[in-house]
Amino acid sequence: MVKRYANLALVYSIIAMIFGVFYREFTKFSHFTGKTNLSVMHTHYFLLGMFFFLMLMLTEKVFSFSDKSTGKVLTVYQVGLNITGLGFLMRGLAQVWGQELSRGLDASISGIAGIGHILTGVCMVLFLLKIRKKAV
């Protein structure tokens, strides 16, 4: 699992950098100077992707907390992270393009990002419970 966590950290660092460049270049190309949710995708993928998996890698080396259910939690975590990213992307693109969102679409995008945050949050707690069980 240590190598898997290291590989995931690498993948998410690359994704974070891609979104950082996309944000900068897309807003520049679109002559957009306001605030947009695209700006937070870079940091979300660095922190919730790269940094999170680096911490899991180090924690796994110390406590060997992973078991047969860890893969499922890992999958749900990644699904949640990427759903969150999708919500940020949809809202950010609408902001840059200056599209007025209907109340329903606005609520749907918020709901998508919220579901992603819930999934990542629940999985973080599950990982912390696994770690605590091995640490004590």
Side-chain angles (χ1 to χ4, degrees), residues 26-134:
F26 182 68
T27 54
K28 190 185 328 177
F29 177 77
S30 302
H31 305 291
F32 183 80
T33 57
K35 290 194 174 226
T36 174
N37 281 29
L38 294 177
S39 67
V40 298
M41 290 183 71
H42 175 72
T43 52
H44 269 72
Y45 274 97
F46 264 132
L47 289 174
L48 296 175
M50 183 197 75
F51 186 76
F52 181 76
F53 286 114
L54 282 176
M55 291 297 99
L56 284 183
M57 179 187 72
L58 295 173
T59 307
E60 177 67 22
K61 286 203 61 94
V62 173
F63 296 113
S64 299
F65 68 90
S66 296
D67 56 22
K68 61 184 177 182
S69 68
T70 303
K72 292 175 186 170
V73 177
L74 194 60
T75 300
V76 173
Y77 179 85
Q78 291 182 82
V79 167
L81 174 56
N82 289 295
I83 287 174
T84 300
L86 179 63
F88 283 134
L89 181 64
M90 290 187 307
R91 183 168 305 283
L93 290 174
Q95 290 167 335
V96 171
W97 289 331
Q99 292 181 328
E100 191 70 31
L101 300 176
S102 68
R103 284 181 42 187
L105 184 56
D106 185 55
S108 296
I109 292 172
S110 294
I112 289 169
I115 289 168
H117 276 91
I118 290 166
L119 291 174
T120 55
V122 168
C123 289
M124 280 183 190
V125 169
L126 292 174
F127 275 122
L128 289 170
L129 290 172
K130 285 176 177 283
I131 293 165
R132 185 182 76 172
K133 187 175 180 181
K134 289 290 184 163

